[in-house]
Amino acid sequence: MVKLNVIYTRTGDDGTTGLVRGPRRQKFDLRVEAYGTVDEANATIGQARLGTGSMPKIDMMLGRIQNDLFDVGSDLATPGEDDPAAHKSLRVTAVQTLWIETQIDHFNEALTPLKSFVLPGGTPLASALHVARTVTRRAERIVVELASLEPDVNPEAIRYLNRLSDLLFVLGRVANNNGEKDVLWVPGNYGDLKKGD
């Protein structure tokens, strides 16, 4: 159990932060950026949950995902191999990613088939889920970049974020009355603009 009694330590006043193990790193370090962006994605999901009052199952699912994202953050904040004699580090597992895939398959079944790309919008919940989706995609890109520089990054963390962004897209459509209220992209649509406007 984590116990946090002191909120500020002053140890980061020099622009560095501590990981679970290893030397302190600059706060702009790519690993710090990676788990920080995962934290940002988590916060956007928390914001989206404010609109799930009429969808308790989705709210519970998003709550589980928020917990999983803390696992992802812990994974990313723990570089290097475990000492066999020490406590095993928390890592994202294939079971967590498979659960996300199961949710995608379940919710996608009832959706109206897509005829175009979906624009972020529709209902407030759908819009919030699209924000969460794009932040999750950004987190995934940063983790992929980190993995190219530090090969000890758990590949399952990348897979989890990839699937999560897909799930958030599907849930955005669910929040738009199962796709009925989706806002679709119309390529080259200039609306009612007249020449010279």
Side-chain angles (χ1 to χ4, degrees), residues 23-120:
R24 292 180 69 80
R25 299 211 186 183
Q26 295 288 326
K27 289 188 178 182
F28 57 78
D29 184 272
L30 193 61
R31 186 172 287 271
V32 179
E33 182 71 15
Y35 69 71
T37 308
V38 168
D39 189 35
E40 187 180 345
N42 200 336
T44 62
I45 291 172
Q47 184 75 29
R49 290 181 70 191
L50 295 175
T52 58
S54 63
M55 300 178 167
K57 288 183 181 177
I58 289 178
D59 184 67
M60 286 176 54
M61 182 174 54
L62 292 175
R64 174 174 172 170
I65 288 166
Q66 285 192 282
N67 195 78
D68 281 352
L69 285 174
F70 256 78
D71 292 353
V72 176
S74 177
D75 190 331
L76 293 170
T78 312
E81 297 295 323
D82 288 345
D83 179 344
H87 181 69
K88 192 172 179 182
S89 299
L90 178 62
R91 299 294 181 202
V92 180
T93 69
V95 171
Q96 289 167 292
T97 305
L98 180 60
W99 180 79
I100 292 283
E101 290 177 356
T102 302
Q103 303 311 308
I104 293 170
D105 293 341
H106 169 73
F107 284 102
N108 197 47
E109 281 182 11
L111 295 179
T112 304
L114 276 174
K115 297 176 183 174
S116 180
F117 289 103
V118 174
L119 300 179

Side-chain angles (χ1 to χ4, degrees), residues 49-197:
R49 290 181 70 191
L50 295 175
T52 58
S54 63
M55 300 178 167
K57 288 183 181 177
I58 289 178
D59 184 67
M60 286 176 54
M61 182 174 54
L62 292 175
R64 174 174 172 170
I65 288 166
Q66 285 192 282
N67 195 78
D68 281 352
L69 285 174
F70 256 78
D71 292 353
V72 176
S74 177
D75 190 331
L76 293 170
T78 312
E81 297 295 323
D82 288 345
D83 179 344
H87 181 69
K88 192 172 179 182
S89 299
L90 178 62
R91 299 294 181 202
V92 180
T93 69
V95 171
Q96 289 167 292
T97 305
L98 180 60
W99 180 79
I100 292 283
E101 290 177 356
T102 302
Q103 303 311 308
I104 293 170
D105 293 341
H106 169 73
F107 284 102
N108 197 47
E109 281 182 11
L111 295 179
T112 304
L114 276 174
K115 297 176 183 174
S116 180
F117 289 103
V118 174
L119 300 179
T123 65
L125 176 57
S127 297
L129 289 165
H130 278 292
V131 170
R133 171 185 62 80
T134 59
V135 176
T136 301
R137 279 286 188 216
R138 178 157 45 88
E140 178 194 2
R141 291 192 300 271
I142 294 168
V143 176
V144 168
E145 183 182 1
L146 176 64
S148 74
L149 300 172
E150 299 188 29
D152 62 350
V153 171
N154 178 5
E156 201 61 45
I158 296 171
R159 284 190 282 271
Y160 182 89
L161 292 169
N162 184 286
R163 298 305 186 284
L164 176 57
S165 60
D166 292 337
L167 176 59
L168 293 168
F169 174 79
V170 167
L171 293 180
R173 298 198 66 217
V174 171
N176 275 339
N177 196 25
N178 285 333
E180 296 287 338
K181 294 183 179 178
D182 281 340
V183 181
L184 299 180
W185 175 47
V186 181
N189 179 30
Y190 300 105
D192 294 327
L193 289 179
K194 296 178 182 176
K195 192 172 182 179
D197 285 353

